[in-house]
Short mmCIF file of all heavy atoms in Angstrom, two decimals:
data_model
loop_
_atom_site.label_atom_id
_atom_site.label_comp_id
_atom_site.label_asym_id
_atom_site.label_seq_id
_atom_site.Cartn_x
_atom_site.Cartn_y
_atom_site.Cartn_z
N MET A 1 0.83 -1.21 0.00
CA MET A 1 0.00 0.00 0.00
C MET A 1 0.87 1.26 0.00
O MET A 1 0.53 2.27 -0.63
CB MET A 1 -0.94 -0.01 1.20
CG MET A 1 -2.02 -1.09 1.13
SD MET A 1 -3.24 -0.83 -0.18
CE MET A 1 -4.29 0.42 0.60
N ASP A 2 1.99 1.22 0.71
CA ASP A 2 2.92 2.36 0.68
C ASP A 2 3.47 2.55 -0.74
O ASP A 2 3.54 3.68 -1.25
CB ASP A 2 4.07 2.13 1.66
CG ASP A 2 3.64 2.22 3.11
OD1 ASP A 2 2.61 2.85 3.39
OD2 ASP A 2 4.34 1.65 3.97
N LEU A 3 3.85 1.44 -1.38
CA LEU A 3 4.34 1.53 -2.76
C LEU A 3 3.25 2.06 -3.68
O LEU A 3 3.52 2.90 -4.56
CB LEU A 3 4.80 0.15 -3.22
CG LEU A 3 5.24 0.04 -4.69
CD1 LEU A 3 6.45 0.94 -4.96
CD2 LEU A 3 5.57 -1.41 -5.06
N ALA A 4 2.01 1.62 -3.46
CA ALA A 4 0.90 2.09 -4.29
C ALA A 4 0.74 3.60 -4.17
O ALA A 4 0.50 4.30 -5.17
CB ALA A 4 -0.39 1.38 -3.87
N GLU A 5 0.87 4.13 -2.95
CA GLU A 5 0.72 5.58 -2.78
C GLU A 5 1.84 6.33 -3.51
O GLU A 5 1.61 7.37 -4.13
CB GLU A 5 0.71 5.96 -1.31
CG GLU A 5 0.54 7.46 -1.11
CD GLU A 5 0.11 7.85 0.29
OE1 GLU A 5 -0.23 6.97 1.10
OE2 GLU A 5 0.12 9.07 0.58
N VAL A 6 3.05 5.78 -3.44
CA VAL A 6 4.18 6.42 -4.11
C VAL A 6 3.95 6.49 -5.62
O VAL A 6 4.10 7.56 -6.24
CB VAL A 6 5.50 5.67 -3.79
CG1 VAL A 6 6.62 6.13 -4.73
CG2 VAL A 6 5.90 5.90 -2.34
N VAL A 7 3.57 5.37 -6.24
CA VAL A 7 3.41 5.38 -7.71
C VAL A 7 2.15 6.14 -8.11
O VAL A 7 2.09 6.73 -9.21
CB VAL A 7 3.42 3.95 -8.30
CG1 VAL A 7 4.79 3.31 -8.12
CG2 VAL A 7 2.34 3.08 -7.69
N ARG A 8 1.15 6.19 -7.24
CA ARG A 8 -0.04 7.01 -7.53
C ARG A 8 0.34 8.48 -7.56
O ARG A 8 -0.07 9.23 -8.46
CB ARG A 8 -1.11 6.76 -6.47
CG ARG A 8 -2.40 7.56 -6.70
CD ARG A 8 -3.42 7.31 -5.61
NE ARG A 8 -2.98 7.81 -4.32
CZ ARG A 8 -3.10 9.08 -3.94
NH1 ARG A 8 -3.64 9.99 -4.76
NH2 ARG A 8 -2.70 9.47 -2.75
N LEU A 9 1.13 8.90 -6.55
CA LEU A 9 1.57 10.29 -6.52
C LEU A 9 2.45 10.62 -7.71
O LEU A 9 2.50 11.77 -8.17
CB LEU A 9 2.32 10.57 -5.21
CG LEU A 9 1.46 10.59 -3.93
CD1 LEU A 9 2.34 10.59 -2.69
CD2 LEU A 9 0.53 11.81 -3.92
N ALA A 10 3.15 9.60 -8.22
CA ALA A 10 4.00 9.80 -9.40
C ALA A 10 3.19 9.81 -10.69
O ALA A 10 3.76 9.98 -11.78
CB ALA A 10 5.07 8.70 -9.45
N GLY A 11 1.86 9.61 -10.58
CA GLY A 11 1.00 9.67 -11.76
C GLY A 11 0.93 8.39 -12.54
O GLY A 11 0.70 8.40 -13.75
N ARG A 12 1.13 7.24 -11.88
CA ARG A 12 1.08 5.94 -12.56
C ARG A 12 0.02 5.07 -11.90
O ARG A 12 0.32 4.15 -11.13
CB ARG A 12 2.45 5.27 -12.50
CG ARG A 12 3.42 6.01 -13.41
CD ARG A 12 4.88 5.89 -13.11
NE ARG A 12 5.34 4.68 -12.50
CZ ARG A 12 6.40 4.67 -11.66
NH1 ARG A 12 7.02 5.80 -11.34
NH2 ARG A 12 6.82 3.54 -11.14
N PRO A 13 -1.26 5.35 -12.16
CA PRO A 13 -2.34 4.64 -11.48
C PRO A 13 -2.41 3.16 -11.78
O PRO A 13 -2.83 2.37 -10.94
CB PRO A 13 -3.61 5.37 -11.96
CG PRO A 13 -3.21 6.05 -13.23
CD PRO A 13 -1.77 6.41 -13.06
N ASP A 14 -2.00 2.73 -12.98
CA ASP A 14 -2.05 1.30 -13.31
C ASP A 14 -1.14 0.49 -12.38
O ASP A 14 -1.51 -0.59 -11.90
CB ASP A 14 -1.64 1.07 -14.76
CG ASP A 14 -2.69 1.56 -15.74
OD1 ASP A 14 -3.83 1.81 -15.30
OD2 ASP A 14 -2.37 1.70 -16.94
N GLU A 15 0.06 1.03 -12.12
CA GLU A 15 0.98 0.34 -11.21
C GLU A 15 0.44 0.37 -9.78
O GLU A 15 0.63 -0.59 -9.02
CB GLU A 15 2.36 0.98 -11.28
CG GLU A 15 3.07 0.77 -12.62
CD GLU A 15 4.40 1.48 -12.68
OE1 GLU A 15 5.17 1.38 -11.70
OE2 GLU A 15 4.67 2.14 -13.70
N ALA A 16 -0.21 1.46 -9.43
CA ALA A 16 -0.81 1.54 -8.10
C ALA A 16 -1.88 0.48 -7.93
O ALA A 16 -1.97 -0.19 -6.89
CB ALA A 16 -1.39 2.94 -7.87
N VAL A 17 -2.70 0.29 -8.97
CA VAL A 17 -3.77 -0.72 -8.92
C VAL A 17 -3.16 -2.11 -8.69
O VAL A 17 -3.65 -2.90 -7.87
CB VAL A 17 -4.60 -0.70 -10.22
CG1 VAL A 17 -5.46 -1.96 -10.33
CG2 VAL A 17 -5.48 0.54 -10.26
N ALA A 18 -2.09 -2.42 -9.40
CA ALA A 18 -1.47 -3.74 -9.25
C ALA A 18 -0.99 -3.97 -7.82
O ALA A 18 -1.17 -5.06 -7.25
CB ALA A 18 -0.29 -3.87 -10.23
N ALA A 19 -0.38 -2.94 -7.21
CA ALA A 19 0.12 -3.07 -5.84
C ALA A 19 -1.04 -3.23 -4.85
O ALA A 19 -0.99 -4.05 -3.93
CB ALA A 19 0.97 -1.86 -5.47
N VAL A 20 -2.11 -2.44 -5.05
CA VAL A 20 -3.26 -2.52 -4.15
C VAL A 20 -3.95 -3.87 -4.26
O VAL A 20 -4.39 -4.44 -3.25
CB VAL A 20 -4.25 -1.36 -4.41
CG1 VAL A 20 -5.50 -1.51 -3.53
CG2 VAL A 20 -3.58 -0.01 -4.15
N GLU A 21 -4.04 -4.39 -5.46
CA GLU A 21 -4.68 -5.71 -5.64
C GLU A 21 -3.92 -6.81 -4.89
O GLU A 21 -4.53 -7.70 -4.28
CB GLU A 21 -4.80 -6.05 -7.13
CG GLU A 21 -5.89 -5.25 -7.84
CD GLU A 21 -5.92 -5.53 -9.33
OE1 GLU A 21 -4.92 -6.05 -9.88
OE2 GLU A 21 -6.95 -5.19 -9.97
N MET A 22 -2.59 -6.74 -4.92
CA MET A 22 -1.80 -7.72 -4.18
C MET A 22 -1.99 -7.54 -2.67
O MET A 22 -2.10 -8.52 -1.92
CB MET A 22 -0.32 -7.59 -4.55
CG MET A 22 0.01 -8.13 -5.94
SD MET A 22 1.80 -8.20 -6.27
CE MET A 22 2.15 -6.47 -6.57
N ALA A 23 -2.04 -6.27 -2.23
CA ALA A 23 -2.26 -6.00 -0.81
C ALA A 23 -3.63 -6.51 -0.38
O ALA A 23 -3.77 -7.12 0.70
CB ALA A 23 -2.15 -4.50 -0.54
N LEU A 24 -4.64 -6.31 -1.21
CA LEU A 24 -5.99 -6.76 -0.89
C LEU A 24 -6.03 -8.27 -0.70
O LEU A 24 -6.66 -8.77 0.24
CB LEU A 24 -6.95 -6.34 -2.01
CG LEU A 24 -8.40 -6.82 -1.89
CD1 LEU A 24 -9.03 -6.33 -0.60
CD2 LEU A 24 -9.20 -6.37 -3.10
N GLU A 25 -5.33 -8.99 -1.56
CA GLU A 25 -5.30 -10.46 -1.44
C GLU A 25 -4.70 -10.88 -0.10
O GLU A 25 -5.18 -11.81 0.57
CB GLU A 25 -4.51 -11.06 -2.60
CG GLU A 25 -4.61 -12.58 -2.72
CD GLU A 25 -3.61 -13.31 -1.83
OE1 GLU A 25 -2.50 -12.77 -1.62
OE2 GLU A 25 -3.94 -14.41 -1.33
N LEU A 26 -3.64 -10.18 0.35
CA LEU A 26 -2.99 -10.51 1.62
C LEU A 26 -3.90 -10.17 2.80
O LEU A 26 -4.01 -10.96 3.75
CB LEU A 26 -1.67 -9.73 1.73
CG LEU A 26 -0.57 -10.17 0.75
CD1 LEU A 26 0.54 -9.13 0.71
CD2 LEU A 26 -0.02 -11.53 1.14
N TYR A 27 -4.57 -9.01 2.74
CA TYR A 27 -5.48 -8.62 3.82
C TYR A 27 -6.64 -9.62 3.93
O TYR A 27 -7.05 -9.99 5.04
CB TYR A 27 -6.05 -7.22 3.56
CG TYR A 27 -5.05 -6.10 3.66
CD1 TYR A 27 -5.15 -4.97 2.83
CD2 TYR A 27 -4.03 -6.12 4.59
CE1 TYR A 27 -4.25 -3.92 2.91
CE2 TYR A 27 -3.11 -5.07 4.68
CZ TYR A 27 -3.23 -3.97 3.84
OH TYR A 27 -2.34 -2.94 3.94
N GLU A 28 -7.16 -10.05 2.79
CA GLU A 28 -8.28 -11.00 2.81
C GLU A 28 -7.83 -12.36 3.34
O GLU A 28 -8.56 -13.03 4.06
CB GLU A 28 -8.89 -11.12 1.40
CG GLU A 28 -9.66 -9.88 1.00
CD GLU A 28 -10.27 -10.00 -0.39
OE1 GLU A 28 -9.71 -10.76 -1.22
OE2 GLU A 28 -11.30 -9.34 -0.65
N ARG A 29 -6.62 -12.76 2.98
CA ARG A 29 -6.11 -14.04 3.47
C ARG A 29 -5.95 -14.02 4.99
O ARG A 29 -6.24 -14.99 5.67
CB ARG A 29 -4.77 -14.35 2.80
CG ARG A 29 -4.42 -15.85 2.87
CD ARG A 29 -2.99 -16.14 2.48
NE ARG A 29 -2.51 -15.41 1.30
CZ ARG A 29 -1.22 -15.37 0.97
NH1 ARG A 29 -0.31 -15.99 1.73
NH2 ARG A 29 -0.84 -14.71 -0.09
N LYS A 30 -5.49 -12.88 5.52
CA LYS A 30 -5.33 -12.74 6.96
C LYS A 30 -6.67 -12.51 7.64
O LYS A 30 -6.86 -12.89 8.81
CB LYS A 30 -4.36 -11.59 7.28
CG LYS A 30 -4.16 -11.30 8.76
CD LYS A 30 -3.43 -12.42 9.48
CE LYS A 30 -3.23 -12.07 10.96
NZ LYS A 30 -2.62 -13.16 11.73
N GLY A 31 -7.60 -11.89 6.96
CA GLY A 31 -8.90 -11.58 7.54
C GLY A 31 -8.96 -10.21 8.18
O GLY A 31 -9.74 -9.98 9.10
N ILE A 32 -8.15 -9.27 7.67
CA ILE A 32 -8.17 -7.90 8.18
C ILE A 32 -9.21 -7.14 7.39
O ILE A 32 -8.95 -6.53 6.35
CB ILE A 32 -6.78 -7.24 8.08
CG1 ILE A 32 -5.73 -8.13 8.75
CG2 ILE A 32 -6.78 -5.87 8.75
CD1 ILE A 32 -4.32 -7.65 8.58
N VAL A 33 -10.42 -7.17 7.90
CA VAL A 33 -11.59 -6.65 7.18
C VAL A 33 -11.43 -5.16 6.89
O VAL A 33 -11.73 -4.69 5.78
CB VAL A 33 -12.87 -6.92 7.99
CG1 VAL A 33 -14.08 -6.24 7.34
CG2 VAL A 33 -13.10 -8.42 8.14
#
């Protein structure tokens, strides 16, 4: 998520989406709603 914010601020939303999607999978696996 930190990496996603960095690339979002750099104007690269596609890369931000990829990082957030990976983070989401980890949060769901752990159960951090």
